[in-house]
Amino acid sequence: MTVRLTLLCAAAPVEHDVRFGADTPLDERALRAVRAVTAALPTAACYTGPSQRCRQTAQALGWDDAGVEPALRDVDMGRWHGRTLSEVAASDGAGLAAWMSDPEAAPHGGESVGQVCHRIAAWLDALPADTGRTAAVVEQAIARAAVVHALGAPQRSFWRIDVPPLSAFQLTGREGRWNLRMGTVSTAQAYGGA
């Protein structure tokens, strides 16, 4: 049997300072955006990453029975947790450059990109063959890691994958062989864009 896993990137508050590892609650505009895409998503067994943002997105989708999956947690940002990109660039520019160019680097004392990619690859490949249709709300980094694994892409391509809030895609496969199927969920109007 083929696993059909839809990954949906969690919604994000529309206006806030992006901080590494910060779990900012969703604002009303973000929740409206989630509700706007609900009909476009498949009905399936559901998982969510443990962050507040993932859980709120799942709840706004009506996925009240979504199981919290610890393997889908965001990147451990170590000493950089709660700091903005500009703060880290100012205080540890060399470390930031290393982290974004070397998948094995973890200058912040947390997880490297390579470690995140391995964690998500292990979770995907451990899904039972009879899983069937499944959906999960995940953080951007987790979505990137899943795409890297599905395509067999080098881990350095992690940063080349743009994953906007509420973007969705499907992975189909089993036992370590995955295909990427792009979704059709439109979020521009949901967030009030053009």
Side-chain angles (χ1 to χ4, degrees), residues 90-106:
S91 66
D92 189 8
L96 181 62
W99 186 63
M100 294 187 75
S101 62
D102 177 2
E104 297 308 319

Side-chain angles (χ1 to χ4, degrees), residues 17-23 74-113 158-159:
D17 288 332
V18 176
R19 295 184 176 276
F20 286 117
D23 192 9
D74 203 0
V75 180
D76 176 355
M77 296 306 298
R79 292 184 302 277
W80 296 349
H81 181 87
R83 299 173 67 195
T84 66
L85 180 64
S86 59
E87 288 170 347
V88 172
S91 66
D92 189 8
L96 181 62
W99 186 63
M100 294 187 75
S101 62
D102 177 2
E104 297 308 319
H108 46 61
E111 282 182 293
S112 69
V113 166
F158 180 90
W159 294 112

Side-chain angles (χ1 to χ4, degrees), residues 44-61:
C46 306
Y47 294 102
T48 180
S51 72
Q52 179 177 346
R53 181 174 43 244
C54 286
R55 288 181 287 116
Q56 282 185 300
T57 300
Q59 288 172 336
L61 290 167

Side-chain angles (χ1 to χ4, degrees), residues 96-158:
L96 181 62
W99 186 63
M100 294 187 75
S101 62
D102 177 2
E104 297 308 319
H108 46 61
E111 282 182 293
S112 69
V113 166
Q115 289 171 318
V116 173
C117 288
H118 289 297
R119 172 168 41 99
I120 297 310
W123 181 78
L124 287 169
D125 292 345
L127 288 172
D130 64 351
T131 299
R133 291 190 182 277
T134 303
V137 178
V138 298
E139 299 289 347
Q140 290 173 313
I142 302 313
R144 284 183 182 118
V147 170
V148 165
H149 180 60
L151 297 178
Q155 291 175 352
R156 69 180 180 278
S157 64
F158 180 90

Side-chain angles (χ1 to χ4, degrees), residues 2-14:
T2 299
V3 176
R4 298 185 190 292
L5 173 64
T6 299
L7 294 178
L8 175 71
C9 186
V14 177

